[in-house]
């Protein structure tokens, strides 16, 4: 699974959708990768006004998984090391 980051947004990891899958299908694939990793904890689904999100941890470092039907799935993390770990995880799946 390919990821990317936009210039000026180093705290956000986004996902390519070259196959033009429905956003819900892509989100389920991303969620599946995360839930199958031993070192990742996924919090309870929270519903916001525009998106659903999950507070998560990788090796006890926090990140947030967002799902927005209009804009897709992304991950936000304050720690760049978390972003790098997640990029590696998705590139290897």
């Amino acid at each position: 699974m390919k990821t990317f980051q936009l210039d000026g947004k180093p705290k956000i990891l986004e996902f390519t959708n070259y196959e033009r899958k429905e956003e819900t299908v892509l989100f389920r694939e991303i969620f599946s990768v995360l839930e199958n990793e031993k070192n990742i904890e996924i919090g309870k689904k929270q519903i916001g006004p525009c998106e659903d999100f999950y507070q998560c941890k990788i090796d006890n470092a926090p990140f947030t998984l967002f799902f927005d039907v209009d804009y897709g799935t992304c991950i936000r993390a304050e720690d760049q090391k978390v972003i790098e770990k997640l990029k590696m995880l998705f590139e290897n799946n």
Side-chain angles (χ1 to χ4, degrees), residues 42-87:
I42 300 174
K44 197 189 243 186
K45 178 180 179 179
Q46 299 179 46
I47 300 172
C50 300
E51 67 227 348
D52 298 340
F53 62 97
Y54 301 79
Q55 298 293 340
C56 306
K57 291 182 182 180
I58 183 168
D59 298 326
N60 283 327
F63 68 93
T64 306
L65 172 65
F66 289 95
F67 173 63
D68 184 306
V69 174
D70 295 324
Y71 296 105
T73 301
C74 71
I75 291 175
R76 181 177 176 87
E78 295 297 318
D79 187 343
Q80 191 61 37
K81 291 177 188 173
V82 170
I83 294 287
E84 293 304 318
K85 285 181 186 181
L86 292 166
K87 279 169 66 172

Side-chain angles (χ1 to χ4, degrees), residues 4-63:
F4 69 94
Q5 290 181 276
L6 297 173
D7 291 338
K9 294 186 177 185
K11 297 177 182 180
I12 299 175
L13 184 64
E14 299 191 63
F15 299 87
T16 59
N17 189 0
Y18 293 122
E19 297 172 6
R20 298 186 140 327
K21 298 177 183 178
E22 285 186 37
E23 291 300 333
T24 53
V25 171
L26 185 61
F27 172 77
R28 282 193 296 256
E29 291 174 2
I30 293 164
F31 193 89
S32 178
V33 168
L34 293 172
E35 74 179 345
N36 288 320
E37 287 295 312
K38 294 181 280 191
N39 61 334
I40 292 182
E41 298 173 36
I42 300 174
K44 197 189 243 186
K45 178 180 179 179
Q46 299 179 46
I47 300 172
C50 300
E51 67 227 348
D52 298 340
F53 62 97
Y54 301 79
Q55 298 293 340
C56 306
K57 291 182 182 180
I58 183 168
D59 298 326
N60 283 327
F63 68 93

